[in-house]
Amino acid sequence: MSNNDNNNENNTTANTDEYEKVCYICRRSESKAGKMINMPGGLCVCADCMQKTFDTINNSDINYDDLMNNMPNMGMFGGFNMMGNDISNRQKVKKKKEDNNKPTDKEKDDTLDLDNLPAPHQIKAMLDEYVIGQDYAKKVMSVAVYNHYKRVATGTMDDIEIEKSNMLMIGPTGSGKTYLVKTLARLLKVPLAITDATSLTEAGYIGDDIESVVSKLLQAADNDVEKAERGIIFIDEIDKIAKKKETRSRDVSGESVQQGMLKLTSKNAMVPQVTVNTRNILFICGGAFPDLENIIKARLNKQSSIGFNSDLKDKYDNDKNILSKVELEDLREFGMIPEFLGRLPIVFSLEGLTEDMLVKIMKEPKNAILKQYQKLLELDEVKLEFDDDALRQIAKKAMEKDTGARALRSIIEEYMLDIMYEIPKDDNIGSVTITADYIEKKGTPLIMMRGQERLPMNNAEA
């Protein structure tokens, strides 16, 4: 035998060791589906699919001989179809690494286990770098996430099965519900799927099916089922699927959706060709729950208005943190069914943002919006500064819009437009200072030329 023949034989052996067969029908590999059955033309089919095929044929009037003669790709010889294309490579995938191989540093970092799972105080400290305020909410989330991933890492402990720490976040618009979850998932390096409950309907109606939420998580995990099964699903606007108090028609976006989500959080959800077990997926729901304050006030007033020592009925009218006193009976009164609330054992509220908090949000977090603009102008070798009074004016304008922190970017974008347009025109500009007068439209930003004193923007252009 020649050296070339030996080399070809070695290469063939290496390729055989490196790859494994894949079922032509369900696309599962041999390591998952078991030993493959070799078919004519180089096709491989797993035992499950072969049995299903025979059952289908036996339960119908299909002639087996006609089926074999007419099915595409079944009459192939030597691994080639009628067009002469080699399909044998499509029936092979690379084998996974053996378990005894040591994971790389990156694989270690991306895998949450008891060794690298941060403690609650460490999780909160990481959140503090990106999220201003909401200390109670961050503390609750840190403990819940820590307990959840301890549960995932250890499975069952003795005969005691630890329940999931699914959460329900209640807070006004723009208080940071979505941002908290996004930051948490990014810090823990777990896949995250975000969906809007307003788009969900009962299966069979127009809209997103309940189980399509899991499909989004699988996509976020790059179709890695194991990674998806320890991810986070955040369902926003959960208050929009409250049960309608008086309706005679089918409530496809209220109680029916809540009932459907019970199945999602307890059973396997099917997506095309893949089964995802939701047992270890952390579900976080959030909503503004408008008018929930009135339900809480009514309950509190009813409790405190009996007897000689009763309180005034307007005692809670000016309580800005009234949502922190929420109880499950208030949520049931709002329209959330008891079974659904039972799957969300951790309920907490977020504070409404104050003017001081908005000022801090603009400048203190690691990725604060002011730091983003400063970085952009720094690329043009221009220093950007904001006066404290200017930040205060921006915060006041944001408070007037009543949309929380999301109003800040639109306001700053409006005032930064001319600056971002004009600055690149002149290479001599060294710094720009945004003043309160500019925010109030009473003046212009102060421009400092390189080696000169500060000038108003109009004079600098002149």
Side-chain angles (χ1 to χ4, degrees), residues 170-283:
I170 302 172
T173 300
S175 56
K177 299 184 291 293
T178 306
Y179 186 68
L180 265 172
V181 178
K182 281 184 177 179
T183 305
L184 190 64
R186 187 176 72 251
L187 294 175
L188 294 177
K189 298 179 181 178
V190 294
L192 169 67
I194 298 177
T195 191
D196 195 325
T198 54
S199 66
L200 297 176
T201 61
E202 190 183 11
Y205 293 86
I206 296 175
D208 288 341
D209 191 284
I210 296 295
E211 293 176 350
S212 66
V213 178
V214 181
S215 301
K216 292 182 180 180
L217 182 63
L218 190 60
Q219 292 173 5
D222 296 326
N223 291 324
D224 186 333
V225 176
E226 293 181 3
K227 193 174 181 181
E229 288 178 347
R230 52 185 174 84
I232 297 175
I233 290 179
F234 177 60
I235 304 175
D236 201 5
E237 306 287 354
I238 199 69
D239 52 295
K240 299 300 189 295
I241 61 169
K243 179 181 177 182
K244 306 294 187 295
K245 289 182 168 54
E246 295 180 3
T247 179
R248 296 182 182 179
S249 60
R250 182 71 171 164
D251 186 9
V252 298
S253 62
E255 180 179 1
S256 298
V257 176
Q258 294 185 53
Q259 294 285 359
M261 292 179 69
L262 294 179
K263 301 175 184 178
L264 181 66
T265 58
S266 62
K267 298 181 180 179
N268 292 350
M270 292 299 298
V271 295
Q273 296 186 354
V274 180
T275 301
V276 178
N277 193 330
T278 62
R279 181 176 178 271
N280 291 328
I281 296 176
L282 181 63
F283 286 84

Side-chain angles (χ1 to χ4, degrees), residues 185-445:
R186 187 176 72 251
L187 294 175
L188 294 177
K189 298 179 181 178
V190 294
L192 169 67
I194 298 177
T195 191
D196 195 325
T198 54
S199 66
L200 297 176
T201 61
E202 190 183 11
Y205 293 86
I206 296 175
D208 288 341
D209 191 284
I210 296 295
E211 293 176 350
S212 66
V213 178
V214 181
S215 301
K216 292 182 180 180
L217 182 63
L218 190 60
Q219 292 173 5
D222 296 326
N223 291 324
D224 186 333
V225 176
E226 293 181 3
K227 193 174 181 181
E229 288 178 347
R230 52 185 174 84
I232 297 175
I233 290 179
F234 177 60
I235 304 175
D236 201 5
E237 306 287 354
I238 199 69
D239 52 295
K240 299 300 189 295
I241 61 169
K243 179 181 177 182
K244 306 294 187 295
K245 289 182 168 54
E246 295 180 3
T247 179
R248 296 182 182 179
S249 60
R250 182 71 171 164
D251 186 9
V252 298
S253 62
E255 180 179 1
S256 298
V257 176
Q258 294 185 53
Q259 294 285 359
M261 292 179 69
L262 294 179
K263 301 175 184 178
L264 181 66
T265 58
S266 62
K267 298 181 180 179
N268 292 350
M270 292 299 298
V271 295
Q273 296 186 354
V274 180
T275 301
V276 178
N277 193 330
T278 62
R279 181 176 178 271
N280 291 328
I281 296 176
L282 181 63
F283 286 84
I284 304 177
C285 299
F289 289 86
D291 297 329
L292 182 61
E293 298 95 331
N294 296 330
I295 296 175
I296 298 173
K297 289 176 185 177
R299 173 178 56 81
L300 294 175
N301 286 329
K302 185 177 180 181
Q303 293 175 351
S304 61
S305 61
I306 300 175
F308 293 103
N309 296 324
S310 60
D311 294 324
L312 297 174
K313 288 187 176 182
D314 60 352
K315 176 181 178 181
Y316 300 101
D317 288 350
N318 297 322
D319 189 347
K320 294 182 178 179
N321 292 322
I322 189 70
L323 288 176
S324 63
K325 298 178 174 63
V326 66
E327 294 185 1
L328 290 182
E329 63 180 276
D330 302 322
L331 295 169
R332 287 198 295 269
E333 177 70 20
F334 186 86
M336 309 305 292
I337 62 175
E339 299 92 332
F340 181 66
L341 293 174
R343 298 288 168 83
L344 301 167
I346 300 174
V347 179
F348 60 95
S349 63
L350 279 71
E351 306 170 14
L353 299 181
T354 64
E355 192 176 297
D356 290 336
M357 291 173 69
L358 290 175
V359 171
K360 291 181 179 179
I361 287 172
M362 283 188 280
K363 62 180 183 179
E364 291 187 6
K366 271 191 173 183
N367 59 341
I369 185 171
L370 298 190
K371 294 179 181 178
Q372 295 177 32
Y373 275 107
Q374 287 171 340
K375 184 67 176 178
L376 285 172
L377 285 180
E378 186 180 314
L379 297 175
D380 291 327
E381 298 182 354
V382 176
K383 184 178 181 182
L384 175 65
E385 296 177 344
F386 280 78
D387 285 347
D388 290 338
D389 292 338
L391 296 178
R392 185 68 58 179
Q393 290 298 324
I394 294 173
K396 286 181 180 178
K397 290 180 178 291
M399 292 291 291
E400 292 172 1
K401 289 182 178 290
D402 199 27
T403 56
R406 60 169 54 97
L408 293 174
R409 177 170 286 277
S410 61
I411 294 172
I412 296 177
E413 287 276 359
E414 176 187 349
Y415 288 101
M416 289 297 298
L417 176 62
D418 289 338
I419 295 173
M420 300 297 290
Y421 182 81
E422 297 292 343
I423 291 301
K425 289 182 180 180
D426 192 344
D427 294 335
N428 294 319
I429 295 177
S431 68
V432 180
T433 302
I434 306 299
T435 63
D437 287 341
Y438 176 58
I439 301 300
E440 295 175 358
K441 297 185 178 179
K442 296 178 181 178
T444 60

Side-chain angles (χ1 to χ4, degrees), residues 113-177:
D113 54 32
L114 288 178
D115 294 331
N116 60 13
L117 179 63
H121 70 280
Q122 294 173 319
I123 298 175
K124 183 180 180 299
M126 291 188 291
L127 289 174
D128 286 339
E129 295 181 355
Y130 294 91
V131 182
I132 297 298
Q134 312 297 1
D135 286 337
Y136 178 73
K138 288 186 287 190
K139 185 176 180 181
V140 173
M141 292 183 74
S142 300
V143 173
V145 167
Y146 179 68
N147 288 338
H148 172 75
Y149 284 107
K150 272 202 303 185
R151 168 185 177 274
V152 173
T154 58
T156 55
M157 303 174 70
D158 299 329
D159 293 329
I160 301 174
E161 184 174 354
I162 304 173
E163 292 293 331
K164 279 204 296 186
S165 304
N166 294 333
M167 293 175 259
L168 174 60
M169 308 168 65
I170 302 172
T173 300
S175 56
K177 299 184 291 293

